[in-house]
Amino acid sequence: MHAFDVLGDPVRRRILELLATGEQASGAIGAAIQEEFGISQPAVSQHLKVLRENGFASVRAEGTRRLYAVDAAPLRQVDDWLERFRGFWEQRLDALGTELARGKRERRRTEEVSKDD
């Protein structure tokens, strides 16, 4: 399955967001996803399986618990693909940074003039 097929599903994206905060037990993931999306535990398990089988998540056993974590390798592939498009928004972000700096300088000047009065 292609990385964007895996990430195209909102449930799988949300699971990855949860895992981005650190390793999580499958039960905690299931509870959060069931509450947010109203899907069954078996459906959550299927999404976890897709993430695991496609390399986006790893799992380890700790007693009876299964702990999931993000595996960043496929996300790097997505990042590499996005690289060709970064120029479209980086120019705008650079321009925004310039405008913010200009506004800060202007506020400082205005504050200095007010203090001198």
Side-chain angles (χ1 to χ4, degrees):
M1 186 177 282
H2 190 275
F4 286 108
D5 293 327
V6 174
L7 296 175
D9 187 279
V11 173
R12 290 192 286 269
R13 284 195 313 270
R14 181 64 180 127
I15 291 171
L16 286 174
E17 289 170 358
L18 292 170
L19 295 176
T21 63
E23 194 174 57
Q24 304 255 347
S26 60
I29 295 167
I33 297 299
Q34 285 176 296
E35 183 178 319
E36 289 182 40
F37 291 92
I39 63 175
S40 67
Q41 179 57 45
V44 174
S45 294
Q46 285 299 312
H47 286 292
L48 285 168
K49 180 180 177 183
V50 169
L51 290 170
R52 197 175 60 249
E53 288 180 347
N54 288 281
F56 283 86
S58 61
V59 65
R60 70 179 181 89
E62 187 177 90
T64 59
R65 295 176 13 159
R66 298 291 174 257
L67 299 171
Y68 283 82
V70 170
D71 187 339
L75 295 172
R76 280 187 214 102
Q77 293 170 355
V78 171
D79 188 53
D80 290 345
W81 185 85
L82 285 170
E83 182 62 36
R84 70 184 90 180
F85 301 102
R86 278 204 177 81
F88 291 113
W89 64 80
E90 284 180 348
Q91 282 180 341
R92 290 183 176 108
L93 289 175
D94 290 344
L96 176 61
T98 300
E99 289 302 315
L100 291 172
R102 186 175 293 146
K104 283 182 181 178
R105 283 193 306 273
E106 186 61 36
R107 278 193 302 278
R108 272 188 256 141
R109 279 190 214 122
T110 303
E111 289 171 2
E112 288 172 5
V113 169
S114 296
K115 288 179 185 177
D116 291 340
D117 290 340

